[in-house]
Amino acid sequence: MDLSNFREEYLKGQLHRKDLAENPFEQFQTWFEQALKAGIPEPNAFSLATVNAQGRPSLRTVLLKYFDQTGFVFFTNYGSHKAHDIEENPQVCMMLPWVMLERQVIIYGKAVKVSRAESLKYFLTRPKESQLGAWVSQQSSVISGRKLLEMKLMELKNKFSKGEIPLPSFWGGYRIIPDTFEFWQGGPGRVHDRFMYKLQEDGSWTIERLQP
């Protein structure tokens, strides 16, 4: 299939240095709120790139559950492929593709486990079906068919039919602690606007324009 003629012009805006917040978390907050207002489906969905000890990269989409000045938090099974990669190499990259706004944000940093108390606090906010889903799957493991998952789910529904569903010991959150942000705004003729924030030893951030 030849896609060479499939082309869109990016005309929705420009990004100027004078309009950027000095703190990248504040800039991210601004863009995230604009993504919400634009009605982008699941604006908190991001691609997470990991690399294992052998240097093999892996990529998948996960959901950002909350963020603040300490980092960006998502939740997963600690036995998953991504979790094994992070254990071997905690350096990760996340990318939010807000295509409708002709924008993307790329964030580099270190992934660290959140406390069990923090995982529990979030787990208790999940619908019961999602809580059971955390229990039922040995994420990334091979299985012969969906029927086995459905049978296990029924067993768990019966087991936890009364009272609260406990937090699984093998499930919890990671916080991505950034050291680099890139804010990308598409431009006409592929002359895009790109700005990179880099964390300095004193805790401050430098801002530099990158060529498209």
Side-chain angles (χ1 to χ4, degrees):
M1 183 180 294
D2 183 1
L3 302 177
S4 59
N5 292 322
F6 191 80
R7 182 174 296 274
E8 295 285 339
E9 274 294 346
Y10 300 143
L11 303 172
K12 292 190 176 180
Q14 292 182 312
L15 188 59
H16 303 284
R17 172 64 181 85
K18 63 181 178 62
D19 298 324
L20 292 173
E22 294 303 312
N23 184 300
F25 292 98
E26 295 176 9
Q27 183 63 39
F28 183 88
Q29 174 88 28
T30 296
W31 271 25
F32 191 83
E33 290 174 354
Q34 291 172 357
L36 286 173
K37 291 178 181 178
I40 293 176
E42 293 196 287
N44 60 323
F46 69 92
S47 298
L48 175 68
T50 58
V51 179
N52 67 14
Q54 290 71 46
R56 183 178 178 85
S58 186
L59 186 69
R60 77 288 289 162
T61 301
V62 298
L63 296 176
L64 176 65
K65 288 305 178 180
Y66 51 88
F67 64 91
D68 55 25
Q69 296 282 336
T70 66
F72 300 83
V73 178
F74 68 95
F75 292 85
T76 188
N77 186 303
Y78 285 146
S80 66
H81 186 165
K82 71 178 83 63
H84 286 301
D85 280 1
I86 290 170
E87 184 177 352
E88 294 176 351
N89 179 1
Q91 296 299 320
V92 301
C93 180
M94 58 183 287
M95 191 273 286
L96 295 100
W98 294 325
V99 178
M100 285 176 56
L101 296 176
E102 299 171 357
R103 290 175 173 175
Q104 60 183 335
V105 182
I106 305 170
I107 300 170
Y108 301 86
K110 181 179 181 180
V112 298
K113 285 183 178 179
V114 305
S115 69
R116 185 164 175 80
E118 187 171 348
S119 292
L120 177 60
K121 181 179 179 180
Y122 168 71
F123 185 79
L124 293 175
T125 70
R126 288 163 62 95
K128 186 174 182 179
E129 292 78 9
S130 296
Q131 291 179 346
L132 289 170
W135 273 96
V136 76
S137 174
Q138 296 179 3
Q139 196 174 86
S140 303
S141 299
V142 175
I143 191 169
S144 61
R146 183 176 178 86
K147 189 67 176 179
L148 292 176
L149 285 175
E150 294 172 347
M151 291 171 60
K152 186 175 179 181
L153 181 59
M154 287 303 300
E155 291 176 4
L156 289 167
K157 283 183 176 180
N158 292 330
K159 180 179 179 179
F160 299 129
S161 61
K162 298 178 181 179
E164 292 186 348
I165 300 171
L167 172 68
S169 61
F170 51 82
W171 189 94
Y174 284 98
R175 175 173 283 102
I176 299 174
I177 303 172
D179 57 55
T180 305
F181 288 73
E182 181 185 328
F183 292 87
W184 184 100
Q185 176 73 60
R190 298 302 186 260
V191 183
H192 313 303
D193 290 310
R194 298 172 59 193
F195 284 93
M196 181 175 67
Y197 291 74
K198 290 280 290 184
L199 181 63
Q200 304 302 299
E201 291 185 1
D202 63 359
S204 64
W205 294 87
T206 60
I207 306 175
E208 296 177 312
R209 176 183 278 274
L210 304 178
Q211 294 195 43

